[in-house]
Amino acid sequence: MATFSHLNTILSPTVLILFITLPLSKAVLDAHFYDQKCPVAEHIISETVRNASIYDPKVPARILRMFFHDCFLRGCDASVLLDSTQGSKAEKDGPPNISLRAFYVVDDAKAKLEMACPNTVSCADIIAIAARDVVTMLGGPYWNVLKGRKDGRVSKANETINLPAPSFNVTQLSQSFARRGLGLKDLVALSGGHTLGFSHCSSFEARVRNFSALHEVDPNINIEFAEKLRKKCLDPKRDHNAGEFLDSTSSTFDNDYYQRVMAGKGVFGSDQALYGDFRTRWIVESFAKDEKLFFREFAASMVKLGNVGVIEDGEVRVKCRVVN
Ligand code: HEM
Ligand SMILES: *[C@@H]1O[C@H](CO)[C@@H](O)[C@H](O)[C@H]1NC(C)=O
Ligand SMILES: *[C@@H]1O[C@H](CO)[C@@H](O)[C@H](O)[C@H]1NC(C)=O
Ligand SMILES: *[C@@H]1O[C@H](CO)[C@@H](O)[C@H](O)[C@H]1NC(C)=O
Ligand SMILES: *[C@@H]1O[C@H](CO)[C@@H](O)[C@H](O)[C@H]1NC(C)=O
Ligand SMILES: *[C@@H]1O[C@H](CO)[C@@H](O)[C@H](O)[C@H]1NC(C)=O
């Protein structure tokens, strides 16, 4: 007791949360899991992802985001892929699903895998491998994906409330990440996923219009950039597709995201908050300065994200949209 109250006085609340978070993952993953069982697995997945991305350049960003959502809700168990059933709305039909698309790419890879090695490769592993592939394909790092995840049998729309919101500050973000065993470095590195893709107006509009009682515009945003965002979203109610790219090089995986955040040009409040808070500012600065460092840390944090809540008592789904 005495020791603990002593700890309390010297550690910030965020640090304490890290200490009391239990490891969520029970199963042990393995880089060589399919070496014997399905040696062509990774090749089939990367070919499918590459092909789909040629036809639709939006695919890579959508797949990367899919991995994040999957792992943050019920762990990396492909719950994000399940379709709603009668009487039960699934995650993909929950509120922040606006860019959750490209499920057909996973379906396509799964169909080919079922022909090559039936009942072997889990849908959760397909998402994890595909997320690595899109990053590497667009100029980012390569890493060995640990495999052997099992697919879950449950997906609930109301649980999407547990995803971090784009309006979150660093305290809220770090609590959300700490609950999954992820620290501040992981938060900053994984937010670098916003080097890819696009956002709809609904996710950032509140920052540039009637922000608060005191400020019309979020005071942390670059003034010209705010004006640009406002113009993009003149009438979002009529144009549901309106929005802005998350990065000026939104089809290249690079460290430009951090340079933009330092210039007040992060699209979400959560992006900008990383630079506004002393706990994370130095990490943003080091990734902006050193792309190699960012790549190394992003890869390491993606491996950690892929370990979140991995389940032992799941199944290998035959079709990723329905339980067996
Ligand atoms: C830190 C907390 C995070 C918040 C609050 C957040 C929030 C958001 C929001 C609001 C969007 C835009 C949705 C839309 O309006 O279309 C988005 C897009 C995206 N997010 Fe995040 N995100 C976070 C972390 C991550 C992580 C960890 C990754 C992956 C490593 C990621 C990857 C992406 C990608 C690639 C897109 C673009 C999707 C597309 O172009 O279709 N995000 N995020
Ligand atoms: C590539 O994708 C297109 C469109 O989705 C499909 O018609 C074609 O068969 C695919 N090719 C391969 C080799 O998978
Ligand atoms: C997103 O969720 C809404 C309900 O909140 C649902 O009507 C819609 O079909 C979902 N969109 C996609 C692409 O899954
Ligand atoms: C979602 O709804 C179920 C009941 O259908 C409830 O047991 C559960 O606590 C809810 N979860 C959240 C995060 O609200
Ligand atoms: C973060 O947001 C929460 C909820 O709005 C608020 O209580 C807290 O004071 C904020 N923390 C910081 C450091 O701004
Ligand atoms: C702006 O927000 C305030 C509350 O903060 C609200 O009373 C007001 O109606 C809003 N104005 C517009 C134009 O939406």
Side-chain angles (χ1 to χ4, degrees), residues 11 92 107 136 224 242 249 298:
L11 293 173
K92 59 166 70 154
D107 293 339
T136 310
E224 282 128 51
T249 56
F298 183 81

Side-chain angles (χ1 to χ4, degrees), residues 290-303:
D290 186 347
E291 189 172 71
K292 283 209 178 76
L293 175 70
F294 164 52
F295 280 9
R296 259 199 323 273
E297 295 301 337
F298 183 81
S301 291
M302 285 289 276
V303 172

Side-chain angles (χ1 to χ4, degrees), residues 20-252:
I20 61 178
T21 300
L22 298 171
L24 293 164
S25 179
K26 293 182 211 89
V28 178
L29 301 179
D30 177 2
H32 300 288
F33 192 78
Y34 296 117
D35 283 4
Q36 308 297 321
K37 287 182 254 216
C38 190
V40 291
E42 298 210 21
H43 179 72
I44 289 175
I45 295 165
S46 77
E47 284 296 295
T48 308
V49 167
R50 189 176 291 274
N51 186 24
S53 305
I54 293 168
Y55 284 84
D56 181 1
K58 293 178 179 149
V59 162
R62 289 174 169 178
I63 286 181
L64 183 56
R65 185 164 192 241
M66 191 190 288
F67 177 60
F68 164 55
H69 279 215
D70 184 34
C71 294
F72 259 54
L73 301 178
R74 298 187 164 265
C76 314
D77 69 342
S79 54
V80 71
L81 298 178
L82 287 172
D83 281 342
S84 295
T85 56
Q86 234 169 10
S88 175
K89 254 172 93 176
E91 276 171 38
K92 59 166 70 154
D93 291 323
N97 64 356
I98 193 157
S99 325
L100 272 182
R101 305 274 158 82
F103 298 114
Y104 72 92
V105 182
V106 179
D107 293 339
D108 191 14
K110 181 62 174 175
K112 290 179 191 148
L113 288 165
E114 283 305 302
M115 294 214 274
C117 1
N119 304 312
T120 306
V121 182
S122 68
C123 299
D125 281 347
I126 297 176
I127 304 177
I129 294 164
R132 186 272 319 275
D133 288 339
V134 299
V135 169
T136 310
M137 193 175 75
L138 297 182
Y142 178 90
W143 61 93
N144 281 318
V145 176
L146 303 182
K147 296 162 289 270
R149 294 170 190 79
K150 289 286 191 293
D151 299 325
R153 296 184 183 84
V154 177
S155 178
K156 288 189 190 299
N158 69 344
E159 291 178 354
T160 58
I161 193 156
N162 295 321
L163 289 166
S167 57
F168 272 14
N169 61 32
V170 170
T171 301
Q172 297 166 302
L173 289 169
S174 67
Q175 284 170 356
S176 172
F177 275 63
R179 276 197 289 276
R180 279 96 180 167
L182 301 169
L184 287 175
K185 190 276 289 178
D186 302 307
L187 164 63
V188 179
L190 291 170
S191 293
H194 291 164
T195 182
L196 299 183
F198 176 86
S199 171
H200 296 81
C201 289
S202 55
S203 304
F204 60 77
E205 216 198 350
R207 300 184 69 207
V208 294
R209 211 166 269 145
N210 208 14
F211 178 66
S212 67
L214 288 178
H215 300 279
E216 169 69 10
V217 171
D218 182 343
N220 295 320
I221 200 169
N222 171 287
I223 292 173
E224 282 128 51
F225 187 59
E227 191 50 38
K228 184 181 176 201
L229 293 182
R230 220 193 338 246
K231 282 197 183 128
K232 289 263 161 110
C233 306
L234 284 177
D235 194 358
K237 286 207 181 64
R238 217 171 48 199
D239 183 3
H240 292 284
N241 293 322
E244 172 65 320
F245 292 102
L246 293 179
D247 183 334
S248 49
T249 56
S250 64
S251 295
T252 312

